[in-house]
Amino acid sequence: MKNKLQILYIHGGETFKNKKDYLNFLKNREISIEEKNKWHGEFLKNSLGKKFDIIKPRMPLADNAKYEDWKIHFERHFPYLKNNIILIGGSLGGIFLAKYLSENKFPKRILSLYLVCPPYDNSLPGEDLVGGFKLPVNLSRLDNCSRNVSLLFSQDDEVVPVSHAEKYRKKLKKANIIILNGKNGHFKVSEFPEIVEMIKEDLKTQNKFLISNID
């Protein structure tokens, strides 16, 4: 299909204050050889079908991320993007998009922006949010980057506490702040039907807009 809606998904990652902390993380993190089914994998692709083109760039050094590296790699994708794109950022990918869209003009029209459990600042209980991902004081550009800006949080999130939702709420006047239950903490779920329904509504909105322009 030529008129597929593009979805650009930015995954999460880790940041560390120094190499010692990073090496300690590598030595002690849990290792599993089992395949993990994540909501932003086959579930999203199968649930949305052939009307969407899902783009999932592998961001540089996700285990020890730096904002400037991600920014360069992100912008390299711009020549391949179309208007009325849907942007999704999960966790560190969420605050990456929040920071980028607060400081820069995105080159294409954004149909919808979804930030899933994005941290707001360096007040996370189990890790440091560093590496240049600090948000600017003024988030007005983020608030106005699309007619549909939604931030989704989990009530029992142990990584990004729900208090971060309230911090965003104070800064964003137009965005939808949604707090969900049953997302296994930090959205460690294999299915996420709520965001699928929201994206399907985006498609309906886009189709109505196209029809009205023809008329």
Side-chain angles (χ1 to χ4, degrees):
M1 295 178 63
K2 293 182 179 180
N3 295 322
K4 286 185 178 182
L5 275 182
Q6 289 182 325
I7 297 175
L8 179 63
Y9 173 79
I10 305 296
H11 59 69
E14 307 278 351
T15 64
F16 296 93
K17 290 186 294 186
N18 52 58
K19 188 172 182 179
K20 180 181 178 180
D21 288 349
Y22 172 51
L23 293 176
N24 187 59
F25 161 76
L26 293 179
K27 291 175 182 178
N28 293 284
R29 68 174 171 179
E30 182 180 347
I31 297 297
S32 174
I33 61 173
E34 296 181 4
E35 184 178 358
K36 296 180 180 179
N37 295 319
K38 300 179 179 179
W39 65 266
H40 46 78
E42 290 301 311
F43 169 75
L44 193 63
K45 179 180 177 181
N46 294 335
S47 298
L48 292 175
K50 297 180 179 180
K51 296 179 180 179
F52 296 87
D53 183 15
I54 302 175
I55 305 164
K56 298 171 64 177
R58 183 174 65 85
M59 303 305 280
L61 300 172
D63 283 340
N64 192 10
K66 301 291 187 293
Y67 175 80
E68 285 302 320
D69 298 352
W70 282 34
K71 181 175 183 285
I72 292 169
H73 189 60
F74 182 60
E75 291 177 343
R76 290 285 309 279
H77 289 75
F78 287 177
Y80 305 96
L81 304 182
K82 301 184 295 187
N83 279 326
N84 297 316
I85 191 170
I86 297 171
L87 300 180
I88 304 176
S91 195
L92 189 67
I95 193 173
F96 168 77
L97 288 178
K99 178 177 174 63
Y100 187 90
L101 296 172
S102 296
E103 296 177 340
N104 303 275
K105 180 176 175 56
F106 194 71
K108 302 296 181 180
R109 187 183 309 117
I110 302 172
L111 180 62
S112 290
L113 171 67
Y114 298 101
L115 305 181
V116 181
C117 54
Y120 178 83
D121 55 23
N122 188 21
S123 62
L124 304 175
E127 59 186 84
D128 292 307
L129 179 64
V130 290
F133 287 86
K134 184 177 180 180
L135 290 173
V137 174
N138 188 344
L139 300 184
S140 60
R141 189 189 289 268
L142 172 66
D143 213 13
N144 293 290
C145 72
S146 170
R147 293 179 63 183
N148 179 20
V149 176
S150 297
L151 287 75
L152 301 98
F153 294 86
S154 173
Q155 183 67 53
D156 61 348
D157 195 333
E158 74 287 355
V159 178
V160 179
V162 74
S163 59
H164 284 234
E166 300 310 315
K167 293 178 180 182
Y168 275 107
R169 195 189 304 274
K170 292 178 181 178
K171 288 284 188 175
L172 302 175
K173 306 303 181 185
K174 300 177 182 178
N176 302 309
I177 309 294
I178 303 168
I179 300 173
L180 301 167
N181 292 314
K183 295 304 167 195
N184 191 24
H186 196 53
F187 284 82
K188 293 178 286 189
V189 290
S190 59
E191 298 183 356
F192 190 0
E194 293 91 343
I195 199 168
V196 169
E197 291 306 310
M198 293 177 190
I199 293 171
K200 287 182 177 179
E201 285 299 316
D202 292 336
L203 179 61
K204 292 179 183 177
T205 301
Q206 171 66 2
N207 288 340
K208 288 179 182 177
F209 175 78
L210 291 175
I211 292 171
S212 64
N213 277 357
I214 293 172
D215 295 341

